[in-house]
Every structure is written in structure tokens, then in C-alpha cells.
Amino acid sequence: MEATNADASAEDVKKAKKESKISVKRTNTGILIKKSTMIVQNFRDLQEEYKIGEKLGSGSYGVVNSCTHLTTGQERAVKIIEKKKIKNIAQFRTEIKILQTLDHPNVIKMYEFFENDKEIFLILEKCTGSELFDRVIEKEFFSEKEAAVVFKQILQAINYCHNNGVCHRDLKPENFIFATKEEDSDIKIIDFGLSKIFDPSSTSYAAMKTGCGTPYYISPEVLTHNYNHMCDMWSAGCILYVLLCGYPPFFGDDDREIIEAVRIGEFDFEGEEWEDVSVEAKDLISRLICKPELRLTAKEALKHPWVKTLAKNSKKDKLNKMDMAHLKKFQNHQKMKQAAITFMATQTSSKDIEHLKRVFESIDRNGDGNITLKELKDGMKDVKNKEELLAIMEGADTDGSGTINYTEFIAATMEQNTYLKEDNLRNAFKMFDKDNSGKISIDEIKQALGYGTEGQIEDEDEWNRLITEVDRDGDGEIDFEEFIAMWKVNL
Ligand code: PIT
């Protein structure tokens, strides 16, 4: 442990605070502890210290697996990042620095990180609950009171980040996950991949550069590149809006249209789902989705009556089923988009597996298809997702002989991979197919996927070409097989 100082003076505390802006404590023994220096890079081999387990979650941040800390038996999470896939090294270093310094019950914790020449591993707090909206739609009813309990935690997390000079910049429902499956679980902010460190004492617009966020929750000033940490408060307002009515305040058929609506900045509480929502809730939203100079800070929002009283004055205790139907539909669209993107990603990861097969063949000198785990570990220096694959392979050695047959292994992995992802896509498809006809309308998918989704469908012409190829009878509907085929064609 670094930064321990047997005789921490007030000056030391001040200096350390200035340096890290975070968690500087003077313990009763006078020892100075800076959290940022306690989270260190571990220079040992990840596998000596952790056993990697099942996938916990995935999102725009990549994939996070569960892992066990071998010395303590503690369950944690690991985010594996391939160095060559990092587009912006400086931004990535910022993400690590931010995670190192933040320490709050509503912010994901990082324990340590490992780095080798190919990958970086972030060891994070394990969360087993679902994303914010997924939990909400699992329920039959979601009351204003419940929304206030969740929103208060969101504000506490943002307030803490802002006080410590961190602006998240990409606040959206997917970036809030529940720590556990318990009803009263805490919620945590994740994904600091687009975050910025700012100077909290500065009031001017630091003109932080735009990253690529989700248009539903992005603030108009971010679109014009002239913004500060208050952009997070706009996003919080948009999240609260969706939590209470089931649809976002700014919408459109594709990203371009959504962005246009955000730029104009007009929204209303006119739908019937707003009729029974308390005036306090509407007041809070209006003070968040507004011009930056009028917008409430996180600290001020925490003092707002709706948050303070936990929506005591909400007229009805329960949102009706209609509201939930809206949110479900919205969430289905988002999931469909994600499922399609993930499915497309497996198509490329099968190519990685083909590469793996060639690596195996080169290790297997006598060509009998069997290699030992040790040979494999030694020979896998150049392989992508090495840790993940090793974990799967150790599981594949079911008789514990230390030998595995890689042909069977590869076949199984490939099949499982494609099968699982296809299954995700099938489920997404089923959610759309409301009348169980086995067909869904092309217009619906088009809307759900939008254009330019991760660069897959760039323009309308390309989309139309795909459709005519798939929808041969031209009835505007496609079945699941055609739907899958559509993505395969696109590759
Ligand atoms: C999970 C489960 C879990 C942790 C995470 C996700 C964390 C993800 C994350 C991603 C980032 C980041 C911080 C946290 O900066 O235990 O589903 O890019």
C-alpha cells in the first residue's frame, strides 16, 4: 500500500486532496490513505490470482465476466480489453484513472488492474442485478415512489462524480445496473469510457469534445461542443422522464431525427400517462431538461421536494399497465438493436476461432487432435480473448486429464457461440411478433434498428437493397430465418 504517511499533516491532506480530489482520509493513527494510490496495477499474471467465470453483462463498454479472487475467494468482475482494439489510448487511460479515484456506493468500484503486452484487465465490483429499465419492466407496476428511490441514488452518484471533477458524459439507462437481484438493491453507475476529468472550480464552458453517445439522452450543448459537467443533469432528466411515462422526451425514427428533436429541445407532458404524475415530478424534470444556466446541479436536485420526500405527494401509488407497455415496447426496440449488433459481432468472432484452430494445429505436433492444457497455454501467446478461451478450455477438460481434444472443443465453442447469440436474436424477434404469426413487419425492424447502427446499415439505399433481397414476395413482412439471413448477407 502506497501513500501511507505516519504523520500526515493538514498540509499533506490538503495536497493529497488537491492531487486526487478523492477519498483522502486521515485515520485515527494519523495514516494518510489515498484511495487512488491504493488501487494499483498488479504486475503479476492475472491467472495466478483470478479464475475467470461466466459472462455477467455486455454493452457498449464490451464484455464483463465474473471472476474469483483466488486468495480471498471473493467474487468480482473482470473487464478484458484487447489493447489493439483501443481506439483512443489517452481516453482509456482516463477511464482507468477515473475508476481508480472514485469510491462511492452508487459508483462501480475497481479493485485493481492487470496489464500484459496484449490486454488490460480491470477487476471490478461484481453486480448481478439487471440494467435499470430491464428491472422496471419486469415489474407489473412501477410507482413514482419507486422511481424516486432509484433517482435519488442516480443523483447521489452524479453529485459524487461532479464533486470529484468527473463528468460521465454518457449517462443512459444501460449504464445503471443493480448490484444484486434483491428488491432493495443499490444501483451503480458503470462505463466511464467516455468520461472526462474537469476542473470543478471552473464555471466556464470547458468545451469538452463530443464523444459518441446515445442520442436520446444527449444534451443539446454537447451537440454544439460547448458544454460542461451539467450535461449529465440533462441526461438524468431524460432518464427520469422515461421512468415515469415509458417513452423518451425526444424521439424520432432514426438517430438523425432524435438529434434534431434534442436540438430543438421541446418536450411536453401531454400524453395521458402524464395525467396522474405529480406536479413535483414534472417540475423536477423541467428543471433538468432546460437551458444549462437554469439547470439544477446534482446537489440542488437532491434537495428538490420530489426527491427529498421520495415522491410523497404522488397522486397514485401505481403507474398503470399502459405506462409499462410503453416502456416495454421502447426497451424491446433497444434490445433488438443490441441483439442484432451482438449477433453481427459473433460472425466476426467465429473468424477469430478459425484462427485459433490454426494455432492449435501448430501446437499439436503429432496431429492427433489432442493437446495438453500446458502446451496450449504456452502456445497461445498470440490469441485474442486468451483469458476467456483458457477459462472455457479448462472447463472443457472434464475428466481432468489435462488433455483436451481441440477439434471437439472448437466445434462446441463455435456452435454454442452462434447458437446462443442466435437465440438472443430469436427472443428479440419474438418480442416484436406480437400476434405470434412468426413474421414481423420490415418497417418495425427498420425503426428499431435505425440507420447507421454501428455502421452496419449506412443508408436507406443499402437498407432497401437488403429488404428486397430478403422479402422476396414483397409483402413487407419477414420471418425469423429470413431475418437471420439478412444479417449474414450484410457481412
Ligand atoms: C456488469 C457487471 C459488473 C460490472 C460491470 C458490468 C462494469 C462495467 C464497467 C464498464 C466500464 C467502466 C466501468 C464499469 O468504465 O459487475 O454487467 O467501461
Side-chain angles (χ1 to χ4, degrees):
M1 208 175 289
E2 245 187 83
T4 56
N5 177 343
D7 189 20
S9 69
E11 201 48 45
D12 288 334
V13 176
K14 222 169 117 191
K15 187 161 166 270
K17 263 194 176 151
K18 205 172 162 210
E19 272 169 20
S20 72
K21 303 205 181 82
I22 328 273
S23 297
V24 180
K25 289 192 186 88
R26 203 141 95 212
T27 65
N28 50 12
T29 56
I31 290 174
L32 186 70
I33 300 171
K34 264 202 315 187
K35 182 172 175 274
S36 64
T37 44
M38 288 165 63
I39 298 169
V40 285
Q41 177 166 359
N42 189 324
F43 289 99
R44 292 173 59 186
D45 203 346
L46 177 84
Q47 285 178 83
E48 285 170 24
E49 312 221 353
Y50 288 93
K51 184 174 162 53
I52 299 183
E54 80 286 357
K55 184 171 128 185
L56 281 176
S58 61
S60 43
Y61 54 81
V63 180
V64 167
N65 280 61
S66 108
C67 64
T68 313
H69 189 219
L70 297 172
T71 18
T72 60
Q74 235 186 67
E75 288 293 303
R76 295 178 176 176
V78 57
K79 177 179 157 185
I80 307 171
I81 308 108
E82 256 184 84
K83 282 187 179 173
K84 67 169 181 254
K85 287 207 182 135
I86 303 174
K87 291 196 192 90
N88 181 342
I89 297 276
Q91 180 60 42
F92 182 69
R93 295 280 166 206
T94 306
E95 178 178 353
I96 294 195
K97 201 165 163 193
I98 288 172
L99 287 169
Q100 272 178 312
T101 45
L102 298 178
D103 184 15
H104 184 273
N106 300 114
V107 176
I108 194 92
K109 245 183 258 313
M110 182 171 79
Y111 295 100
E112 57 181 340
F113 70 98
F114 293 75
E115 176 168 1
N116 61 31
D117 47 337
K118 292 249 160 19
E119 298 131 324
I120 294 176
F121 308 89
L122 306 186
I123 306 295
L124 304 158
E125 191 174 357
K126 179 170 178 173
C127 296
T128 51
S130 36
E131 287 171 13
L132 173 58
F133 282 4
D134 285 326
R135 166 164 305 201
V136 172
I137 60 172
E138 273 163 25
K139 300 177 173 219
E140 200 173 343
F141 298 108
F142 188 68
S143 66
E144 255 189 78
K145 197 171 173 45
E146 286 170 284
V149 170
V150 166
F151 197 65
K152 187 176 177 181
Q153 292 187 46
I154 292 182
L155 291 175
Q156 281 165 340
I158 301 175
N159 185 42
Y160 173 81
C161 289
H162 288 183
N163 281 340
N164 288 290
V166 172
C167 165
H168 189 285
R169 290 210 300 178
D170 192 24
L171 291 179
K172 52 186 177 186
E174 301 90 296
N175 286 341
F176 290 95
I177 55 172
F178 286 93
T180 68
K181 293 187 171 65
E182 305 296 311
E183 181 76 25
D184 60 352
S185 161
D186 275 345
I187 198 163
K188 313 250 175 196
I189 294 198
I190 60 163
D191 197 353
F192 287 84
L194 283 178
S195 303
K196 278 273 175 201
I197 297 172
F198 68 94
D199 177 359
S201 63
S202 151
T203 49
S204 71
Y205 284 79
M208 304 193 284
K209 286 250 168 62
T210 331
C212 38
T214 305
Y216 287 120
Y217 310 94
I218 200 168
S219 73
E221 72 271 15
V222 169
L223 295 172
T224 57
H225 308 269
N226 184 26
Y227 65 101
N228 64 11
H229 62 286
M230 289 299 280
C231 65
D232 286 342
M233 298 311 295
W234 172 285
S235 308
C238 295
I239 293 170
L240 179 56
Y241 185 103
V242 190
L243 273 180
L244 294 178
C245 74
Y247 50 85
F250 308 103
F251 47 84
D253 283 346
D254 52 62
D255 286 0
R256 206 175 27 83
E257 277 187 33
I258 299 166
I259 287 171
E260 199 42 41
V262 171
R263 243 185 244 286
I264 297 166
E266 282 167 11
F267 71 99
D268 58 56
F269 300 119
E270 268 156 32
E272 60 174 315
E273 39 292 301
W274 286 103
E275 276 168 22
D276 292 319
V277 175
S278 68
V279 285
E280 286 89 347
K282 290 178 192 164
D283 181 78
L284 176 56
I285 291 170
S286 308
R287 290 171 197 273
L288 293 171
I289 312 181
C290 62
K291 284 193 227 160
E293 52 278 20
L294 298 174
R295 211 173 290 160
L296 298 182
T297 63
K299 193 175 169 199
E300 287 161 351
L302 280 164
K303 290 187 196 141
H304 189 279
W306 188 79
V307 180
K308 259 198 123 162
T309 65
L310 292 177
K312 186 171 65 83
N313 295 337
S314 59
K315 269 197 219 118
K316 56 174 185 175
D317 203 31
K318 288 169 178 178
L319 290 187
N320 61 34
K321 285 186 188 178
M322 245 279 285
D323 305 339
M324 209 49 86
H326 272 299
L327 187 56
K328 269 188 186 151
K329 192 169 168 205
F330 176 67
Q331 188 70 343
N332 284 351
H333 274 76
Q334 298 306 104
K335 291 290 160 191
M336 172 67 124
K337 203 163 165 173
Q338 195 54 51
I341 293 167
T342 320
F343 177 76
M344 288 182 278
T346 39
Q347 303 296 301
T348 38
S349 78
S350 343
K351 293 199 185 89
D352 293 345
I353 294 174
E354 277 164 35
H355 167 71
L356 187 65
K357 185 163 185 278
R358 281 192 292 280
V359 175
F360 284 175
E361 279 161 356
S362 71
I363 300 170
D364 177 20
R365 292 185 202 287
N366 67 4
D368 67 352
N370 290 316
I371 44 178
T372 67
L373 268 176
K374 189 176 176 318
E375 280 175 318
L376 191 66
K377 280 179 191 164
D378 296 343
M380 272 180 63
K381 295 199 176 65
D382 273 342
V383 177
K384 288 184 189 167
N385 304 326
K386 186 175 148 190
E387 305 304 327
E388 197 185 337
L389 284 166
L390 275 172
I392 304 172
M393 284 188 285
E394 270 165 25
D397 175 27
T398 42
D399 58 0
S401 63
T403 320
I404 49 169
N405 181 290
Y406 63 81
T407 315
E408 281 171 22
F409 166 73
I410 287 175
T413 325
M414 280 182 79
E415 203 174 303
Q416 195 194 14
N417 231 353
T418 325
Y419 175 75
L420 282 177
K421 299 284 162 60
E422 264 192 37
D423 227 39
N424 275 346
L425 201 54
R426 192 182 295 274
N427 283 333
F429 185 95
K430 273 191 198 141
M431 293 193 287
F432 271 77
D433 178 22
K434 304 233 167 47
D435 57 358
N436 267 325
S437 62
K439 290 200 164 213
I440 56 177
S441 106
I442 285 169
D443 241 22
E444 238 182 342
I445 313 169
K446 186 174 165 181
Q447 267 192 32
L449 299 175
Y451 302 120
T453 304
E454 300 276 294
Q456 293 302 320
I457 306 172
E458 287 294 347
D459 55 43
E460 184 116 27
D461 285 348
E462 171 74 352
W463 171 264
N464 289 333
R465 187 185 62 76
L466 267 173
I467 297 302
T468 30
E469 220 163 294
V470 176
D471 177 28
R472 291 190 196 281
D473 60 359
D475 65 350
E477 294 214 308
I478 57 171
D479 64 25
F480 183 68
E481 299 316 321
E482 290 169 327
F483 184 57
I484 292 264
M486 185 171 97
W487 296 112
K488 290 187 175 160
V489 172
N490 198 26
L491 279 165

